[in-house]
Amino acid sequence: MSYVGPDSQPPRPPRRFGGGRTLAVTLAVLAPATLAGYLIHDATGGSEGAERPRTLPSASRSDQNAPSKPTADDSSKSPAARKSEKPKDEPDDKGGEEGDAKPSGKAPSSGGRPAPSGPLKGKVVVIDPGHNPGNFRHTAEINRPVNIGTNSKECDTTGTSTNRGYTEARFTLDLAHRLRDLLHRQGATVRLTQDGDRAWGPCVDERARIGNAARADAVVSLHADGSAVGNRGFHVILPAKVSGGAADTTAIVGPSRDLGERIAGKFLSATKSAPSNYVGDGTGLDVRRDLGGLNLSKVPKVFIECGNMRDPKDEALLTNPDWRQKAAHGISDGIGSFLAR
């Protein structure tokens, strides 16, 4: 089910939010056994002016793997996330590597083959796998500041990892391959901002430019968080209304929220994972103004933090190939719902 939109469950009485907008709230699906349904509400209130640590920032920003900074692509993690993250140099390859989806052959980021006919024929989707497995070896390059429209920020970060060394960069690339294949089968033209085919990066500003240059109908940046034990669940990061310097999200705030709400609903339905219990006030949605990947985007774009790699229970999900396939289906279904509107 979707949080909002034509494919949602019958709505409960609408609630009024700031600005007089009415958001139809739907009862979330029940997670296995005891997860109670919860209501999704407008997540923009009060968050536009507050910058949070990169736990999702960009929600899709996981925390940085630097001792004093959170590891996050462009996504900043929550304060708790930053404290729990510890940098690693060369993380080992334990935890979930065997189930990683492998790209077919040496296919370029577009998949290397024409998209078949399907409901998404003619649509362009850009998938942005957060971070890069090689970032650990190129700290000087990724620490270089870049302009994110409103101010400067590091080019990229290493991302987080599980306590067993399964890195966020490996997770996002594996999930990107699964998502790419699902969208391609529906006829979409799919591009990846990186496919493990470069030594490091790209920087967050370049990631935004890739989506803009492709004139993408939708862009999704994939991440996993690195917060404290006990912090669980997913959250989707939406762009705030930002206008300054090279940043102007005025035209994409509305459609990006629509995209994010649909992805959140479908992700919950497919994975049965609960929305974050530490970001978004239980809505699974968070609005950020400090992420270059969102600030510089000219097309609808969101980040998704699929879970917390530092929590043992979430780690068990994120390192499970079957769960990652469900996650890919949820994100794919959300994108498909948005593009079919």
Side-chain angles (χ1 to χ4, degrees):
M1 92 175 61
S2 177
Y3 281 14
V4 296
D7 55 352
S8 63
Q9 296 295 314
R12 297 169 67 94
R15 296 173 60 187
R16 285 283 175 183
F17 295 85
R21 293 186 299 117
T22 300
L23 177 63
V25 293
T26 61
L27 187 61
V29 296
L30 291 176
T34 62
L35 176 62
Y38 64 93
L39 296 177
I40 302 305
H41 62 73
D42 191 351
T44 58
S47 58
E48 202 171 283
E51 291 194 2
R52 299 186 180 179
R54 332 148 99 154
T55 183
L56 57 244
S58 78
S60 229
R61 188 313 63 215
S62 313
D63 42 23
Q64 270 182 290
N65 269 21
S68 60
K69 298 180 183 178
T71 61
D73 212 38
D74 180 32
S75 3
S76 301
K77 302 209 164 267
S78 64
R82 299 187 169 190
K83 296 179 181 178
S84 63
E85 289 293 332
K86 291 185 179 179
K88 298 189 177 211
D89 278 327
E90 289 291 333
D92 57 39
D93 291 329
K94 300 176 185 176
E97 180 180 354
E98 282 186 18
D100 286 357
K102 301 288 192 282
S104 359
K106 298 180 82 174
S109 60
S110 62
R113 55 193 186 281
S117 294
L120 300 185
K121 186 72 173 178
K123 301 296 184 180
V124 177
V125 178
V126 171
I127 303 171
D128 179 29
H131 314 290
N132 182 314
N135 280 0
F136 289 95
R137 303 181 188 90
H138 296 273
T139 55
E141 290 89 342
I142 66 171
N143 285 330
R144 172 176 63 84
V146 297
N147 189 330
I148 65 168
T150 53
N151 61 288
S152 294
K153 202 166 188 177
E154 57 266 81
C155 156
D156 199 5
T157 65
T158 57
T160 188
S161 69
T162 68
N163 292 325
R164 297 181 181 181
Y166 183 52
T167 65
E168 181 184 2
R170 294 183 69 84
F171 168 80
T172 62
L173 200 53
D174 175 70
L175 182 60
H177 293 152
R178 297 172 188 274
L179 178 57
R180 174 196 62 194
D181 292 345
L182 291 172
L183 292 169
H184 187 270
R185 287 182 204 132
Q186 297 178 69
T189 296
V190 183
R191 288 200 60 195
L192 271 62
T193 58
Q194 61 93 8
D195 197 6
D197 50 358
R198 51 189 295 165
W200 54 275
C203 295
V204 297
D205 57 339
E206 182 182 352
R207 290 172 186 266
R209 288 196 298 270
I210 291 171
N212 296 341
R215 296 183 181 180
D217 295 289
V219 182
V220 179
S221 190
L222 307 176
H223 290 266
D225 209 356
S227 188
V229 173
N231 289 344
R232 296 197 59 198
F234 73 90
H235 60 273
V236 177
I237 302 172
L238 314 174
K241 186 174 180 180
V242 175
S243 181
D248 186 356
T249 62
T250 305
I252 70 164
V253 167
S256 294
R257 170 168 282 276
D258 188 16
L259 171 63
E261 289 176 338
R262 290 170 187 269
I263 288 177
K266 296 295 186 179
F267 189 90
L268 185 154
S269 182
T271 65
K272 303 301 185 290
S273 294
S276 172
N277 63 7
Y278 62 104
V279 173
D281 298 323
T283 66
L285 304 173
D286 189 36
V287 177
R288 298 285 299 277
R289 61 180 301 112
D290 60 328
L291 303 177
L294 296 180
N295 289 354
L296 300 175
S297 182
K298 305 300 182 186
V299 294
K301 181 175 182 177
V302 300
F303 282 51
I304 180 169
E305 294 280 357
C306 297
N308 176 18
M309 298 193 102
R310 296 293 187 172
D311 178 83
K313 293 181 179 179
D314 270 9
E315 174 187 1
L317 299 177
L318 297 166
T319 57
N320 185 316
D322 291 336
W323 186 90
R324 292 199 298 272
Q325 190 64 27
K326 291 177 183 177
H329 272 287
I331 298 170
S332 174
D333 289 347
I335 294 172
S337 171
F338 172 74
L339 296 181
R341 73 197 191 291

